[in-house]
Amino acid sequence: MNSEQLGQQIELAHGSGGKSTYRLIRSAILPALKNPILESLSDAAVVDYGAGRIALTTDSFVVHPLMFSGGSIGKLAINGTVNDLAVSGAQPRAILLSLIVEAGLPMDVFLREIQAIAEASRIATVPVIGGDTKVVEHGKGDGLYITTTGLGIVDPKVNLSPQRIKPGDQVIVSGPIGDHGIAILLARGEIELEANLGSDSRPLWPLIKAMISVHPAAVKWMRDPTRGGVATALNELSREIKMGVVLFEEMIPLREEVRGACEILGLDPLHIACEGQFVAIVEKDLLLEILKELRKVPGGEEATHIGEIREQPAGVVLAVSSYGGSRRVDMLIGDPLPRIC
């Protein structure tokens, strides 16, 4: 694919995590850097090391505004990288931190974000062991950008692979979706809505550890549905496994504030980013046991069964209602909420 097919220039939509991002990665980045580990396009790269496996991941955070209800860019940067490791079945062990600071950023804002990083690191029990700091000219950095790189040790009992998924496997989510994306929207003052809603940013390892400690083989795939939301994550999966994902629409956990904002703005909650939830594919026979374990963990009380894998429609995500209606759920197209993480 050439520049004419991709477009003449990079657009915000190329960073949405949705269809434009998918096309850019598949058409431009993967062919150039092609290798088996990269081609898995997992949240973290898993590589053999000695007798075990390690996971590596990196992410950049450019959220605007820097502070919002439920968190800030510093907290988000730590939890985002911790969660990319966790959904790869790896216990997060260390983080590298790169700061790009714009000249003119108030020192109290900088110090506030360093404290937010320290607090999130302490809660996740993952130390920041190194990093880099650069300062760019005023007007060329929008305050503060953060890049984090994480290292984790993969639990030897875990075997996450889309190739293990078969019809009848079940889809679960760890809690209500869409909180983070709507919280950012409210922080920008782009919508008049009285809502007590904060970002769901949090470390997911305690929940995932509880699940894989009891039933490691029953968990086949996990993602934290950040940019592009649950819809994009499951669309990528359905295309890879060439099977259908059927979602039971009324069972998807959703706060009223998120539902209301989406109705006002014409957004699909399945496209709204989460920063403290995961979606997983698990064996049908152990579904109830897995949900039981998740609900024992603080923060996992709202873990819910939301769908299942079927042979057809291959490569498609469908949302079905209790009345028998259905609609196709595509990847996010465009970028209605840019710079949310």
Side-chain angles (χ1 to χ4, degrees):
M1 183 171 286
N2 56 37
S3 61
E4 289 187 2
Q5 293 167 304
L6 283 169
Q8 292 300 312
Q9 59 189 15
I10 292 291
E11 309 285 351
L12 277 173
H14 287 119
S16 67
K19 185 170 282 186
S20 295
T21 305
Y22 181 83
R23 185 179 296 129
L24 186 72
I25 292 172
R26 292 276 180 180
S27 303
I29 299 175
L30 271 187
L33 304 177
K34 190 174 183 178
N35 65 71
I37 295 175
L38 181 62
E39 286 177 305
S40 71
L41 293 181
S42 301
D43 286 322
V46 175
V47 296
D48 295 334
Y49 185 77
R53 292 173 294 163
I54 61 173
L56 295 163
T57 189
T58 190
D59 207 344
S60 295
F61 296 84
V62 297
V63 64
H64 175 78
L66 297 180
M67 193 171 187
F68 43 85
S69 176
S72 68
I73 190 171
K75 177 181 179 182
L76 198 62
I78 296 298
N79 287 339
T81 292
V82 164
N83 292 344
D84 282 345
L85 294 169
V87 295
S88 301
Q91 180 176 4
R93 299 297 293 270
I95 285 180
L96 297 175
L97 176 73
S98 176
L99 303 172
I100 297 179
V101 190
E102 180 185 3
L105 181 74
M107 186 59 75
D108 61 343
V109 173
F110 180 78
L111 295 176
R112 181 194 72 200
E113 293 311 314
I114 295 300
Q115 287 304 310
I117 289 167
E119 177 69 3
S121 170
R122 184 189 64 77
I123 291 173
T125 65
V126 185
V128 175
I129 60 169
D132 181 50
T133 302
K134 296 287 194 308
V135 177
V136 298
E137 298 169 54
H138 182 67
K140 297 186 177 180
D142 206 9
L144 177 64
Y145 298 148
I146 299 177
T147 295
T148 40
T149 300
L151 168 69
I153 306 298
V154 180
D155 188 306
K157 300 183 295 299
V158 170
N159 181 15
L160 300 176
S161 172
Q163 285 69 44
R164 293 181 58 224
I165 295 174
K166 64 180 187 302
D169 287 339
Q170 303 296 298
V171 185
I172 65 171
V173 67
S174 58
I177 66 170
D179 288 9
H180 177 73
I182 299 302
I184 296 297
L185 193 69
L186 293 171
R188 292 175 183 169
E190 295 178 1
I191 179 173
E192 294 291 334
L193 181 69
E194 292 290 333
N196 182 24
L197 182 71
S199 168
D200 58 1
S201 177
R202 60 173 176 164
L204 287 170
W205 178 245
L207 282 169
I208 291 172
K209 180 183 178 183
M211 184 170 64
I212 62 178
S213 294
V214 179
H215 300 296
V219 183
K220 300 183 175 181
W221 177 91
M222 288 187 283
R223 281 288 170 86
D224 60 332
T226 54
R227 294 173 305 158
V230 171
T232 299
L234 291 178
N235 264 283
E236 290 178 0
L237 176 66
S238 67
R239 294 179 187 197
E240 182 170 359
I241 63 177
K242 297 180 174 54
M243 286 185 262
V245 178
V246 175
L247 297 175
F248 311 131
E249 193 144 32
E250 284 89 350
M251 296 174 68
I252 298 170
L254 196 65
R255 300 189 200 284
E256 283 306 311
E257 294 88 343
V258 174
R259 187 189 309 279
C262 288
E263 287 176 354
I264 291 171
L265 297 170
L267 301 173
D268 187 336
L270 290 167
H271 287 147
I272 306 301
C274 311
E275 285 290 344
Q277 306 296 353
F278 69 85
V279 58
I281 307 298
V282 303
E283 285 187 10
K284 182 177 183 178
D285 291 345
L286 290 170
L287 168 68
L288 296 180
E289 288 294 318
I290 288 172
L291 289 175
K292 182 180 175 181
E293 291 300 322
L294 284 172
R295 290 167 181 165
K296 289 179 184 176
V297 183
E301 297 85 353
E302 296 180 78
T304 306
H305 170 219
I306 63 169
E308 66 181 20
I309 303 296
R310 295 181 182 173
E311 288 189 8
Q312 298 295 331
V316 170
V317 177
L318 283 183
V320 299
S321 72
S322 57
Y323 299 103
S326 65
R327 65 182 177 93
R328 179 170 179 164
V329 180
D330 204 350
M331 290 184 177
L332 175 67
I333 299 173
D335 194 0
L337 305 175
R339 295 185 59 189
I340 56 174
C341 59

